[in-house]
Amino acid sequence: EAGVAQSPRYKIIEKRQSVAFWCNPISGHATLYWYQQILGQGPKLLIQFQNNGVVDDSQLPKDRFSAERLKGVDSTLKIQPAKLEDSAVYLCASSRPGRSGYTFGSGTRLTVV
Amino acid sequence: DQQVKQNSPSLSVQEGRISILNCDYTNSMFDYFLWYKKYPAEGPTFLISISSIKDKNEDGRFTVFLNKSAKHLSLHIVPSQPGDSAVYFCAASADTGNQFYFGTGTSLTVIP
């Protein structure tokens, strides 16, 4: 099966600019996650979708971050405006229903200068 | 609040020897645990899992041990190979929505 696709792989922007990341999960995986991994730390959940509904967005900084999953398939994560501390790798993952491990994409490395 | 902790940032092991990576957690509601391996510039890949109804799970060279009373799990790799050099993350989940909490990772280097 094809893996989780993410784009772009790398992005460099200036602070206060906006940026968007795209994710296409594994076909048939109803649950989609966006994680933020800051250098030297473990991945931290930003938002979890079940089909096109939000299950948990309690750790999403909603004043600047937004995410959507239209039609329950692809998802987009946006940051506007970006801050220096948003520099991180943004990982998208998907999973089947129920208790199971995730399949992660390769991530988007964001550098805010 | 870091609910899953990996206190060793790095570990070096000779090829052929055993690698032991440790993980501690604080939330007694966690009942499902995973280990992921991550190479540079790639996303984490699933390695092995264990449910709290077990205390051991084996898959080839990889064995995960769970000590619920100590809230501790460990990953054993025997024998270690140079290709095992990567960052290893443990992750834990309670029975709510399949959300996993990750540790900070241990960088394993296997020396040929």
Side-chain angles (χ1 to χ4, degrees):
Chain A
E1 68 184 359
V4 175
Q6 287 189 248
S7 67
R9 287 298 307 273
Y10 305 93
K11 191 76 176 178
I12 300 174
I13 62 172
E14 295 183 349
K15 60 183 178 183
R16 291 186 290 272
Q17 285 188 323
S18 63
V19 65
F21 313 126
W22 173 83
C23 173
N24 181 245
I26 291 174
S27 177
H29 280 194
T31 311
L32 184 147
Y33 314 80
W34 283 101
Y35 275 79
Q36 178 193 58
Q37 186 178 11
I38 293 172
L39 186 65
Q41 299 182 19
K44 183 186 84 170
L45 180 70
L46 291 175
I47 188 167
Q48 176 182 351
F49 291 96
Q50 179 76 23
N51 295 309
N52 60 347
V54 175
V55 174
D56 185 346
D57 64 356
S58 57
Q59 299 189 84
L60 187 74
K62 298 182 188 63
D63 58 333
R64 298 185 300 106
F65 286 64
S66 64
E68 60 182 9
R69 190 183 184 197
L70 300 176
K71 302 180 182 178
V73 181
D74 293 8
S75 178
T76 302
L77 176 69
K78 296 180 182 176
I79 308 175
Q80 182 178 11
K83 293 185 175 181
L84 296 177
E85 59 260 36
D86 298 331
S87 295
V89 175
Y90 290 85
L91 293 161
C92 179
S94 67
S95 69
R96 294 186 180 90
R99 306 298 294 284
S100 63
Y102 304 160
T103 300
F104 280 94
S106 297
T108 296
R109 179 175 296 279
L110 173 68
T111 303
V112 182
V113 297
Chain B
D1 179 27
Q2 190 73 26
Q3 299 189 59
V4 179
K5 299 177 184 178
Q6 294 176 258
N7 293 319
S8 298
S10 62
L11 175 68
S12 290
V13 172
Q14 287 290 133
E15 180 178 3
R17 305 294 290 268
I18 184 172
S19 295
I20 300 176
L21 295 95
N22 294 305
C23 179
D24 297 292
Y25 60 96
T26 58
N27 189 339
S28 58
M29 298 300 292
F30 288 150
D31 64 350
Y32 190 53
F33 305 88
L34 308 175
W35 283 94
Y36 279 86
K37 178 164 102 172
K38 185 181 183 305
Y39 293 118
E42 295 183 14
T45 55
F46 170 74
L47 196 55
I48 193 168
S49 66
I50 189 166
S51 164
S52 61
I53 62 173
K54 293 184 174 182
D55 54 18
K56 177 183 173 182
N57 189 26
E58 221 171 329
D59 184 1
R61 296 185 298 112
F62 302 90
T63 303
V64 56
F65 296 91
L66 175 62
N67 182 333
K68 290 184 287 295
S69 60
K71 296 192 181 68
H72 176 83
L73 64 157
S74 61
L75 175 68
H76 292 210
I77 307 174
V78 184
S80 300
Q81 299 174 354
D84 297 329
S85 297
V87 177
Y88 289 78
F89 292 97
C90 67
S93 169
D95 188 16
T96 50
N98 204 41
Q99 178 183 141
F100 282 89
Y101 295 85
F102 284 78
T104 52
T106 296
S107 178
L108 174 66
T109 302
V110 180
I111 303 163

